[in-house]
Amino acid sequence: MFVYADNAATTAVSKTALDAMLPALGEVYGNPSSLHQKGREANYALMDARAAVAKCLNAEPREIYFTGCGTEADNWAITEGARMGAEKGKKHIISDTIEHHAVLHTLQKLEKQGFEVTYLPVHEDGVVRVEELKAAIREDTCLVTIMYSNNEIGTLQPVREIGAVCREKGVLFHTDAVQAVGHVPVDVVADHIDMLSLSGHKFHAPKGVGALYCKKSIRIKNFIEGGAQERGKRGGTEAIPSILAMAAALTDSCAHMQENMAKVSAMRDRLIEGLGKIPYSRCNGAPDKKAPGIVSFCFEGIEGESLLLRLDLAGICASSGSACTSGSLDPSHVLLALGMPHEIAHGSLRLSLCEFNTMEEVDYILQQVPEVVKTLRQMSPVWTHMLEKMPDPYQEG
Ligand SMILES: *Cc1c(COP(=O)(O)O)cnc(C)c1O
């Protein structure tokens, strides 16, 4: 059996997205800035796509700026939020310890430029506390950037409450919603969001296209200098085929949101229940505070990388943490932020599902993972050492 369970790293392009993209690659080849009929055709398609993306977020079309990826949207929003703050003498930013590196590394760059950043803890459940955010806001706080849904452990942050606090205090609020848009209902008005990042390839559009939502009253400046595209704020000829595919994929996700959420959550819950039966395993992040698709576990006494390789041989594509940090031997900053000791954080497994997965696949995963964990433990000196201090859970009787 082959199971793709790494949808938080990227998703397969859906038929809906492909059907929107192929005609655009073939026929809609005009440059939307051109005045002739081919240009107008592309421009109308672009306008429709912008309106479709806006509609899914409860935003206005002029509040949507297409970008090259989610990372670009994060960089743009945070850099601009900081610049606007600095103009008013405000150089304090609030974030948290489990953000994606697109956010963390942008914040580190700003720290080198003299900004001060407060990183809120996420506690054992993987969730920030609104009270702690309130207490952290100062006279000179210019920006709060807290993700909507975490890419490694799937926890949802209390975005609506965070937005309300920021609005009340007059602080700009950005959220990296790359793992949320297309997966859970996102409403920028009800959630009091000023800026939001999204990325197409996390909801079945192709890679290399994203968007920044920026509330119309906020005067962000250019991030990329160039032509008059995106109302002059993001130069570069628009990637029409990818943008049309993203709009179609998002419209499709939003139209089937409730049924997809129900289906994916049911598979997630079965996985959490089944993997929880493995001795000395821990589910990372509170199971009742999670977005539908992401399951993260640590298994004591084994290495996550060995587990991944064996699962790959069994036809299961999974991840040990975020795709962006795999390849490094450091344990994930997200698991460490939950208070997980280094040696346990090394034995992590992330399975991320989408609506194209099936219960049969979940059952196959639940048949394979316990076996592989057991085999790896029997080969592991760390596990042998652990057995000196505890009964062997694999010994009968
Ligand atoms: C994938 C991801 C990003 C980066 O998006 P790209 O389009 O790959 O640049 C940012 N934040 C989160 C939470 C993500 O999961």
Side-chain angles (χ1 to χ4, degrees), residues 53-59 64 181 186-189 196 198 213 250:
V53 171
K55 186 159 177 261
C56 292
L57 304 174
N58 193 20
I64 303 298
V181 171
V186 172
D187 180 326
V188 292
V189 177
L196 171 147
L198 64 89
Y213 153 81
L250 186 55

Side-chain angles (χ1 to χ4, degrees), residues 67-84 93 99-110 113 143 145 174-178 195-198 211-212 220-224 234:
T67 63
C69 57
T71 300
E72 183 189 329
D74 281 338
N75 273 258
W76 190 5
I78 293 167
T79 306
E80 270 305 292
R83 183 197 58 78
M84 289 184 281
I93 300 169
E99 292 293 314
H100 189 273
H101 282 138
V103 169
L104 288 179
H105 290 169
T106 305
L107 291 173
Q108 284 163 17
K109 179 190 79 179
L110 290 167
Q113 295 170 4
L143 174 71
T145 174
H174 165 254
T175 185
D176 174 343
V178 171
M195 294 190 279
L196 171 147
S197 311
L198 64 89
L212 173 68
I220 48 162
K221 286 194 179 164
N222 309 2
F223 187 60
I224 291 185
R234 201 275 185 188

Side-chain angles (χ1 to χ4, degrees), residues 16 27 41 68 141 151 154 162 188 199 224 269 296 330 345 348 363:
T16 307
E27 294 143 37
E41 180 188 27
T141 306
N151 49 303
I162 292 169
V188 292
S199 175
I224 291 185
D269 292 345
S296 168
D330 294 334
S348 63
D363 288 340

Side-chain angles (χ1 to χ4, degrees), residues 125 127 149-150 152-157 184 261 265 268-269 272 283-297 338:
D125 58 3
V127 181
S149 168
N150 183 269
E152 287 189 40
I153 57 173
T155 47
L156 289 162
Q157 301 302 332
V184 294
M261 282 176 67
S265 317
R268 172 202 62 196
D269 292 345
I272 292 178
C283 175
N284 301 316
D288 59 339
K289 292 172 184 161
K290 277 179 190 276
I294 301 182
V295 173
S296 168
F297 266 79
L338 301 179

